[in-house]
Structure formats: C-alpha cells, structure tokens
Amino acid sequence: IAGCHQTHTVLDRNTLIRWGPLRPRGATIKLKAWRECETKSSRDGPSLSPPSARQSVRRNLDFEPLSTTALILEDRPSNLPAKPAEEAQKHRQQYEEMVAQAKKRELKEAQKRRKQLEDRCKLEERIGSAAQTWNQEILPNWSTTCTTRWVRDLWWQGVPPSVRGKVWSLAVGNELNITHELYDICLARAREKWKTMPSAAPAEPETDDAGSSLADREASLELIKLDISRTFPHLCIFQQGGPYYDVLHSILGAYTCYRPDVGYVQGMSFIAAVLILNMDTADAFIAFANLLNKPCQMAFFRVDHSLMLTYFAAFEVFFEENLPKLFAHFKENKLTPDIYLIDWIFTLYSKSLPLDLACRVWDVFCRDGDEFLFRVALGILRMYEDVLTRMDFIHNAQFLTRLPDLIPSDQLFSHIHAVHMTSRNRKWAQVSWWAR
Amino acid sequence: MAYAYLFKYIIIGDTGVGKSCLLLQFTDKRFQPVHDLTIGVEFGARMITIDGKQIKLQIWDTAGQESFRSITRSYYRGAAGALLVYDITRRDTFNHLTTWLEDARQHSNSNMVIMLIGNKSDLESRREVKKEEGEAFAREHGLIFMETSAKTASNVEEAFINTAKEIYEKIQEGVFDINNEANGIKIGPQHAATNSTLSGSQGGQQAGGGCC
C-alpha cells in the first residue's frame, strides 16, 4: 500500500506542478491528497524530518494558497541531506509571508469583484428606470419634452439601448420626408443594377474615357461589397454570410440610387451599420439619409475639401482656446487636425471609439448636432493631453488614428463636459457659419 | 530612438489592394485577413539599417477611394518615397495606375522615389495581371517594381527597404537637398557623428546637437 501511495505522490506532484497556476481549485484538492499521502507514507516508512516542524507547516496550510509555492516547504527527499535548521526557518518565514500576501490579494480581489457587481447592478437599475422614464414620459410627448432641461440632462447620461433607436429617429427627424415605400423603390432599383452588373470585375481592360458616371456608379456598387466585409470585422455580423450582410448592403445600395450625386463614400458603411444595430431596416435608411443630409455630413461625404478645411479651421479656434499648450505642440510638430478628424467625423467615431462609447457620443450628437462632434474631439485631446504633449509627430499621429482600446466613458464625458465651445463670445455656429 | 535619417513614405493605390496589410506586415510582421477600412490616413513607423546607418521610416497609409483623392493629394507633400500598389487579381486596379502616377508626379517633389507594387502574389490562380505587364509599366515610367504578398510576407521587407536604398543613393549623389524638409527627409540626431560621407552642407541642422 505504501508503495502505491508513493507512486501517487510522484504523479500528483507532477500534475500539481503543471496544473498549479492554471487550475487552482484542482491544485488545492491535489495538494490535500498529496499531503495525506505524504503523512501516511512518512508514518509507514522512515521519518523524514522532526514532526514538530511538520506540524507548524500544517498549521499554515489551513489557508490553501492558489499556487504551488507551498512546495518549497516540503522536506527534501530522503536520499538528500536534510535542510539546515537555519535554512528551514528562513523558508518557513518566506512561506508565511507569501501566504499572508496571497491572502491579502485574495481579499482585495473579492472586494473588487463585489464592488464591480454592485456597480453593475446599480447601472442596470439606472438604465432600467431611465428606460421607463423615456418610454412613459418623454417619448409620448416628444415635441414638448425634448428641449426641456431635465430631458437634456438625462440625455447627456446616455440613452438606454432599448429606446436608443426611437430617440435617434425622432432627434434626427425626417426633413426629407422619406417613406418606407420610397426605400422599397430605391432598393428595387439598386437590385436591378446589381443584376445587370457583371458579378466579377471585368476581365478586359477598360478604356480610359470609360470613366463616365455610369462606370463610376457601378464601381461604387462593387465597392460597397468590398467594404461591407471591412465594416466592424471583429463583430462578425456584417460579413458575407453574417446576419446583417444583406441589410447593410441594401441600405447602402438604396442610398446610391436615392442620391446618385453623392453615391457611396467610404465611411458610410459604419454609419449605416450602427443604425442597423439600433432600428429596423427602413427606419435605419430614413435616419441614414437624413443624417447624411446635415450640412457638416454633406460637406464631408461630398468630400468638399474647401468646406472641410473651413470646419477644421473652426475646430482649431476652439482647440487653441481650450488647450493652448497642446495646440502649440501640435503646430510645432505640423500635426494638422485633418489627420485625426477625417476618420472621426466620417464615421461619427464608430470606428475609432469602442462601440458602446460611440453610441453615447451619437446620443448627444443627435441632441446637439455637429458642434458636439468637434467637442468630442477636443474632449479626447483634453483627456490625453499629458501623453500627447510628450510625444512627437509620428507617435501622436499613430495614437490619434488608433485610440486606446479601453476608454472609460465617464472619464471621457467629463472631459467633453469641461470643453467650452465659446471663443471670444462667439459660439461654434458663429465660428463655423461660413461653412454652411 | 536615434536615427541618421528620417524618410517619409506614402502608400497609394486603389481601395482594397492591400496597402494597410503591406504596412502591417512591414511594421508588425503579421497579416490580418480582414483589415479595417482606412478612412483618411493611418500611420506606421519602423527603423531600418542601410549602409550601417539607422534610418527611420515614417509611413503614411492613405485611403484608396477615388472620392478621397482631394484629401490624399495634400499628403504627397514632403514624401521622399511612394509605394504605388495594385492588386494582381484585379485588372482595374492596374488600369488606374496612370491616374495615380499623374497625381503623384503632380503633387510631390520631382525626386520622389516611386516603387510600383503588384500585391497579392500568393493568389496565383486568380491572377489577372501578368508580372511582365507590371515590369513593362515600371520600365516605361521609370519606377522600381516588385510583386509582393502581404499575406506570406514575400518581398514586403524588400519593397520598403529597396525604396529606402534608392532614396539613400540619391542623397549620396546629392540629388536631394536634405536641408529642405519638403523633400521628405530629415536628418536625425545620430547623424552628427556619422556624416563624414556627405558633403558638409547641413551645418547647424542636427537636432539636439547630435546628442542621442
């Protein structure tokens, strides 16, 4: 029997060492089994060390450490000389310190977990009650409530996801009077074009003057396909075969038929995708077309370079006003706002910010209009001002065109809140009015 | 980090030809099958060594859609090298090279080194543009040419480095005025100690007084 135990011990010791850090629970069990084993074998076989030392070790083990560090306490195998008492004492002490630290860490982590859970419950409760307020008090009386102070304040906190689509639709409005029928007509026209279009890229070379508007439009329909797979690829829902591939394709195709003068421009797929995630297809199309019809969006999606420069110039006025030090640093490093603003404005932050945070930006963008897009930009610059002031051109450009994956939304919103959008008594609308 | 020179590159070409993937392969040595769409411009940087000198490449990766041309045009300014990329599996991306080239020549400095790249060479079965056609186009327009695969990394390193070699040779020949930053070349802090091979025309230009 003793021999059998011995074999187990060896086995367990191996598995313990391999599993220790990865499978803490299993390791604890193994450790116990191993200990029993050891006790038994030492009882049966020759004693390996004075029992008193072993006892004190055991006392410490009523708290099970999560790693294999406990192994250092085991006595040396019988075929090796025993540890000197001094060394054994030192090891005991180290071990006790380790256990104490591990205990502290465990406690701290448990506290953190409890706090996180509490925060989450609180947040869910807040969202739940906010959703009720939006559904029962605000949405039924939209025209009278939407401009009141208390609604605007609640709005700033973020619209609950369950009512987001409705709020966005109402706030964006439908100045263009697009009906569901009109969407169907545009979609049918787009489908017809897709049918007549060669499925693959033409194999024979086109002549240069074939760059007519027809070829361009077909190219833009072809381009939509190419870009859909590159829209939020990590979500895996818009790619071919994914649940929203057809919907996204339909909205973008219908839009090129609705506004052939604008056509499809890169960046649009992100806007349509965010809308699809929050409302029905036809409503998403209506919101999409109306959103793109706003002066700032029109300027960008028509790629009207001089108008865009006007917006950038207006942005720089407020940049200098709010963050003079960073502004000077960027000027010195020739970091112009187009480098980071183009991506942010074209996709309304949906590509550069985490999606939930981007939706919060959209909430207030629907409330405040284009001014808010530039205010968010200043909020981001303000939040990272210290880091940005220390970096050179290339690092700043890389940082701003690829923002950190984790951006705490409350922190960003408090920075956005601190940005003031007046310059020498002029508001954003006055500074940027000549862009309109 | 200390460098002897900094070269600005710009990557241009039709949308979807793999510009961002080439950059990612060069800077991070990895391939992302579905890369994010580039809107506006994105950036990469890497240090290389040529002739024993550290050279920092600052790479501007631009959006390819026709509509963005008016924006990307302003990024040619101050570029020392350009990678003009087409997709060997899409004939139309090859057909558009002339307009890209016209754009590049018109908006950049005349000494800008242009490397023509036929990307996606791993997709041999779907090839629509023969290698000889790429070579012929390059010869005709005085460009360097390479076929690459951002996926397998074939020739990616070479494409970026050969462009830098060409720029470096032009500097040695005195073609580039390295004091004029509009040429896309900056002298780095490391240069002060190692500039013996160059004519002494860049006095006082060393940033930080040659201190690393």
Side-chain angles (χ1 to χ4, degrees), chain A residues 203 205-206 223 226-227 229-230 233 264-267 269-270 303 305 308 338-339 342-343 346-347 351 393-394 397-398 401-402, chain B residues 15-16 34-45 56 58 60 63-65 67-68 70-71 75 90-92 95 128 181:
Chain A
E206 294 159 31
L223 186 56
L226 190 70
D227 282 355
S229 62
R230 301 194 284 172
Y264 167 73
V265 179
Q266 290 184 327
S269 60
F270 286 86
V303 200
H305 206 189
M308 287 166 70
D338 53 303
I339 283 171
I342 285 179
D343 177 87
F346 266 94
T347 64
K351 186 169 159 277
F393 170 85
I394 187 72
Q398 281 181 300
T401 49
R402 203 158 285 267
Chain B
T15 180
V34 190
H35 199 279
D36 280 9
L37 195 52
T38 306
I39 313 244
V41 59
E42 286 179 13
F43 296 86
K56 187 172 179 169
Q58 180 195 92
W60 296 47
Q65 195 185 4
S67 335
F68 287 101
S70 64
I71 299 171
Y75 300 146
R90 276 163 59 210
R91 162 72 58 181
D92 54 326
N95 294 338
E128 282 183 10
E181 266 187 37

Side-chain angles (χ1 to χ4, degrees), chain A residues 71-76 80-88 91:
Chain A
L71 286 177
I72 62 158
L73 266 200
E74 294 306 327
D75 295 308
R76 288 186 183 156
L80 293 175
K83 276 187 204 174
E86 222 173 82
E87 200 186 341
H91 284 172

Side-chain angles (χ1 to χ4, degrees), chain A residues 145-362:
Chain A
T145 51
C146 72
T147 50
T148 59
R149 184 66 199 251
W150 72 275
V151 172
R152 288 177 64 83
D153 286 346
L154 193 64
W155 207 331
W156 176 271
Q157 322 265 318
V159 177
S162 60
V163 289
R164 203 160 242 160
K166 276 180 226 154
V167 174
W168 288 358
S169 278
L170 285 166
V172 171
N174 188 4
E175 239 183 7
L176 299 167
N177 288 318
I178 300 172
T179 57
H180 285 199
E181 288 71 36
L182 181 59
Y183 168 63
D184 290 336
I185 293 167
C186 293
L187 180 58
R189 212 177 291 164
R191 287 209 170 117
E192 219 148 277
K193 276 194 186 153
W194 283 323
K195 242 186 274 165
T196 55
M197 224 174 67
S199 55
E204 71 281 0
E206 294 159 31
T207 50
D208 254 356
D209 51 11
S212 66
S213 60
L214 181 78
D216 277 354
R217 223 160 303 146
E218 282 188 352
S220 111
L221 283 174
E222 188 61 38
L223 186 56
I224 291 173
K225 267 194 211 158
L226 190 70
D227 282 355
I228 288 179
S229 62
R230 301 194 284 172
T231 306
F232 297 124
H234 59 282
L235 293 182
C236 302
I237 50 177
F238 296 107
Q239 286 58 50
Q240 198 138 23
Y244 288 119
Y245 174 81
D246 283 335
V247 184
L248 186 51
H249 198 210
S250 299
I251 289 187
L252 295 172
Y255 186 76
T256 60
C257 291
Y258 175 69
R259 286 300 294 265
D261 57 323
V262 182
Y264 167 73
V265 179
Q266 290 184 327
M268 284 184 180
S269 60
F270 286 86
I271 297 183
V274 173
L275 291 169
I276 287 167
L277 292 175
N278 286 285
M279 51 186 93
D280 293 340
T281 312
D283 290 330
F285 178 77
I286 294 171
F288 181 72
N290 280 284
L291 202 62
L292 261 47
N293 200 45
K294 297 194 179 294
C296 176
Q297 274 59 49
M298 242 329 133
F300 276 73
F301 280 107
R302 280 179 182 276
V303 200
D304 185 328
H305 206 189
S306 64
L307 267 186
M308 287 166 70
L309 289 175
T310 312
Y311 276 103
F312 297 150
F315 168 79
E316 287 199 294
V317 170
F318 292 94
F319 185 1
E320 187 171 18
E321 187 85 28
N322 280 277
L323 306 159
K325 214 173 101 195
L326 187 62
F327 180 79
H329 179 68
F330 277 15
K331 271 267 169 267
E332 195 188 326
N333 283 279
K334 299 196 177 75
L335 187 79
T336 49
D338 53 303
I339 283 171
Y340 46 94
L341 281 184
I342 285 179
D343 177 87
W344 294 353
I345 305 294
F346 266 94
T347 64
L348 304 175
Y349 295 93
S350 59
K351 186 169 159 277
S352 37
L353 292 180
L355 198 52
D356 54 338
L357 183 50
C359 283
R360 244 191 104 176
V361 166
W362 281 44

